[in-house]
Amino acid sequence: MDPATSELAGTEPTGTDLGSTDLASTDLGSTDLASTATAWFDENARDLPWRHPSAGAWGVLVSEIMLQQTPVARVEPAWRSWMARWPDPASLAADTAAEAIRAWGRLGYPRRALRLHACAQAIVEQHGGVVPARLEELLALPGIGTYTARAVAAFAYGQRQPVVDTNVRRLIARAVAGRADAGPATTVADLDAVEALLPASDRLAARASAAFMELGALICTARSPRCHECPFWSVCAWRLTGSPAPTGPTRRPQRYAGTDRQVRGLLLAVLREESGPVPAARLDLVWPEQAQRARALAGLVEDGLVVPVSGHRFALAGEEAGQHP
DNA sequence: CAAACGTGGAC
DNA sequence: TGTCCAAGTTT
């Protein structure tokens, strides 16, 4: 409908009393969204390993990369083994990209593994092996964009940063703007709108950011929001107007079967299972149409995930040495 | 800026 | 069974 404008902006804070919740932890009014969400978070936050102080900034960074488009349930075991093997940037940087891609397993979007490996090397080379805390420096690292940079700054370093992911966009679109769903992209306006909701102190703001995300992930879900359990129940603009259905055209064809993505996945699955270069003939088996197969393989090479080796063989990046007979 | 980029689970 | 969805980034 209005693609140029942000769904997150445009409504004023409510002064309505929530009534049922005791929010004694703040000295300000107890009815703003941030403190309401935080109070809920205090009672309902999941005990995720990267939320423990022991996870450190590296643990937070790794979790954020893994969580880009991959559900928590699948990330958790992968994160544990990853951190056990590479507890800091230096250890990952010292290993091959191939091992990172292999350890990534089936989390999806394996370019993230490659970028995380490159990210670790950049952290070692440019930041002495310490995950940087400044937004500018985080944004300059491979695989780290608007969301992830702020997530690391807030969750690892306790900074006051608007952390806007799909969950927060949806939550605020409903609660504040009264819309059924958020728009497609994170805009500057989105960041500003969320920033305006954050408490003044760094510590409380970071906590509120985590609370907003958790609320979006557990309660204000895309499919069947659990409004009856939502702490925003009495103030949510969307619910207050009868929870109208989403307007506008439904988007995204996004098929998967038969796409280059599927073929890339099949190709990479073979290479992951092998310990070194694989004959091209072996890769030919994964997909019947040679043209698409060649295109997918070329794409993997172009992305730097796969490297051609002499003698019509291919290997995971960093493994082209081929010490196997 | 739209499109590309994996994968598996829930409904 | 097919569609929808999951803590985005890059080009």
Side-chain angles (χ1 to χ4, degrees):
Chain A
M1 302 296 275
D2 54 345
T5 60
S6 168
E7 298 75 5
L8 304 189
T11 48
E12 60 212 50
T14 175
T16 309
D17 181 60
L18 277 178
S20 60
T21 313
D22 178 13
L23 301 173
S25 58
T26 61
D27 53 2
L28 299 174
S30 59
T31 58
D32 62 283
L33 259 28
S35 56
T36 300
T38 301
W40 173 88
F41 187 66
D42 288 342
E43 300 299 318
N44 298 279
R46 289 168 292 180
D47 182 27
L48 301 172
W50 46 85
R51 286 178 175 166
H52 291 213
S54 62
W58 172 241
V60 171
L61 194 164
V62 170
S63 77
E64 292 300 341
I65 300 289
M66 288 185 168
L67 287 163
Q68 292 169 3
Q69 303 289 280
T70 301
V72 167
R74 286 170 54 204
V75 164
E76 195 165 343
W79 183 89
R80 290 183 189 283
S81 52
W82 188 283
M83 293 302 292
R85 182 172 182 181
W86 299 302
D88 50 53
S91 55
L92 176 58
D95 218 326
T96 63
E99 281 308 295
I101 295 167
R102 203 166 267 125
W104 196 256
R106 307 185 69 80
L107 287 181
Y109 293 145
R111 291 193 293 195
R112 291 181 292 165
L114 191 62
R115 292 187 182 131
L116 182 51
H117 181 258
C119 182
Q121 294 185 321
I123 290 171
V124 169
E125 292 165 14
Q126 301 162 25
H127 303 285
V130 179
V131 177
R134 285 184 42 221
L135 199 58
E136 294 262 305
E137 297 173 322
L138 287 164
L139 284 168
L141 294 171
I144 296 190
T146 302
Y147 161 76
T148 304
R150 288 174 173 77
V152 171
F155 305 146
Y157 293 113
Q159 293 173 27
R160 183 180 187 276
Q161 296 281 174
V163 182
V164 183
D165 72 334
T166 185
N167 288 313
V168 174
R169 293 210 322 278
R170 185 177 54 245
L171 176 74
I172 304 304
R174 287 174 180 165
V176 177
R179 304 172 58 116
D181 287 298
T186 300
T187 66
V188 174
D190 294 335
L191 290 174
D192 289 345
V194 172
E195 194 274 341
L197 298 176
L198 298 178
S201 92
D202 282 308
R203 190 61 56 85
L204 289 178
R207 187 84 178 157
S209 291
F212 286 149
M213 289 182 60
E214 192 79 334
L215 216 34
L218 299 183
I219 302 295
C220 195
T221 57
R223 203 135 17 159
S224 307
R226 310 163 76 175
C227 298
H228 50 290
E229 300 175 43
C230 185
F232 291 174
W233 168 264
S234 63
V235 297
C236 175
W238 182 55
R239 192 199 67 79
L240 254 20
T241 55
S243 306
T247 58
T250 57
R251 50 181 73 92
R252 71 213 170 276
Q254 280 298 67
R255 290 178 193 78
Y256 178 65
T259 62
D260 286 2
R261 277 152 88 172
Q262 183 186 20
V263 181
R264 287 168 57 110
L266 294 170
L267 253 17
L268 213 53
V270 171
L271 290 163
R272 266 200 312 263
E273 296 310 308
E274 298 300 324
S275 57
V278 171
R282 176 82 193 286
L283 298 175
D284 290 345
L285 271 35
V286 307
W287 195 256
E289 299 169 56
Q290 104 83 24
Q292 186 176 26
R293 202 175 60 232
R295 179 155 34 93
L297 185 55
L300 289 172
V301 172
E302 182 165 9
D303 287 350
L305 285 161
V306 173
V307 175
V309 183
S310 63
H312 297 288
R313 295 186 301 164
F314 292 87
L316 250 28
E319 205 167 54
E320 55 269 32
Q323 50 276 55
H324 279 260

